[in-house]
């Protein structure tokens, strides 16, 4: 990092945040730390601007955010996880250190945090990442877990390897049968549609029997999209 800093001086935006929010993340006052984490998460989630990118998509920022993942306060950690996800997704800044840190954190976290981490991982598109996302299907509450997995696949199905898609199909169909929440069901259907695995069509047709009018319409739409190859646009990731 010293060599990087020598050749790539901090932008004015980064210099300001290094003594501001990125320093406050490690303050002794919990309120100060939480406020800094919430601010960084909001900045990372807001509209893309060059000024935001100048300090968010920088290895010095990522280094401090990764260090903050070790904090004992789960509220702070959740915001940092979301910030890392937004930086890599919105600013297309993929740092392997962030992937490793998020995967390590997932392994030692409870269900609630695992669900949050799931939303910050799929863009890295590694076998380990998809294995962890698959594990999220067993987390509780199930509707939140299934919704998070469905959204992850819906948005990143295009870059998934075929063998990984095939592993997810039976698990998603099982979740679709078991879950009662309609939003979670729709997230699963969107994921299945975007993966375009035709083997799912037979099972989806079977699910039509006894389905509500709304769910039946969603299943019919999913089957049509699988057969036509149409993707679901999802700008609200």
């Amino acid at each position: 990092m010293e060599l990087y800093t020598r050749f790539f001086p901090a932008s004015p935006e980064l210099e300001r945040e290094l003594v501001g929010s990125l320093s406050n993340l490690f303050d002794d006052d919990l309120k100060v730390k939480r406020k800094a984490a919430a601010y960084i998460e909001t900045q990372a989630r807001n509209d893309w601007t060059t000024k935001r990118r100048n300090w968010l998509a920088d290895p010095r920022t990522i280094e401090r955010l990764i260090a903050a993942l070790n904090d004992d306060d789960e509220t702070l950690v959740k915001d940092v996880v979301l910030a890392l996800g937004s930086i890599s997704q919105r600013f297309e800044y993929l740092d392997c250190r962030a992937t490793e840190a998020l995967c390590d954190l997932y392994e030692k976290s409870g269900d609630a945090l695992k669900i949050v981490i799931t939303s910050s991982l799929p863009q890295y598109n590694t076998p380990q990442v998809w294995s962890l996302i698959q594990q999220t299907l067993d987390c509780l509450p199930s509707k939140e877990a299934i919704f998070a997995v469905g959204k992850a696949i819906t948005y990143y199905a295009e870059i998934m390897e075929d063998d990984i898609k095939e592993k997810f199909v039976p698990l998603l169909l099982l979740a679709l049968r078991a879950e009662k929440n309609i939003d979670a069901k729709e997230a699963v259907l969107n994921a299945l549609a975007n993966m375009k695995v035709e083997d799912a069509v037979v099972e989806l047709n079977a699910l039509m029997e006894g389905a509500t009018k709304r769910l039946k319409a969603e299943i019919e739409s999913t089957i049509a999209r699988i057969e036509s190859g149409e993707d679901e646009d999802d700008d609200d990731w």
Side-chain angles (χ1 to χ4, degrees), residues 128-141:
Q128 182 187 17
V129 160
W130 288 113
S131 176
L132 296 180
I133 292 173
Q134 180 178 313
Q135 291 176 39
T136 302
L137 289 170
D138 294 325
C139 291
L140 296 174

Side-chain angles (χ1 to χ4, degrees), residues 16-17 21 34-44 55 79:
R16 181 186 67 242
E17 299 300 341
S21 63
R34 283 185 173 180
K35 183 177 180 180
Y39 166 79
I40 295 168
E41 191 278 325
T42 300
Q43 289 295 303
W55 73 275
D79 278 334

Side-chain angles (χ1 to χ4, degrees), residues 203-214:
E203 182 71 14
L204 287 171
N205 275 314
L207 286 168
M208 297 275 279
E209 185 176 350
T212 64
K213 184 177 180 180
R214 175 179 173 181

Side-chain angles (χ1 to χ4, degrees), residues 21-28 33 63-65 67-68 71:
S21 63
L22 293 170
S23 174
N24 291 341
L25 274 178
F26 306 97
D27 198 273
D28 292 333
K33 291 196 296 184
E63 183 177 62
R64 285 159 180 78
L65 292 178
D71 199 280

Side-chain angles (χ1 to χ4, degrees), residues 4 11 13-14 16 43-44 46-62 87-88 90-94:
Y4 182 90
S11 66
E13 295 84 7
L14 178 57
R16 181 186 67 242
Q43 289 295 303
N46 280 344
D47 293 340
W48 196 105
T49 67
T50 300
K51 287 187 176 181
R52 285 198 180 102
R53 192 185 193 286
N54 283 346
W55 73 275
L56 288 167
D58 187 285
R60 287 157 287 201
T61 295
I62 302 302
I87 291 168
S88 56
R90 292 177 178 272
F91 297 93
E92 298 182 347
Y93 187 76
L94 301 178

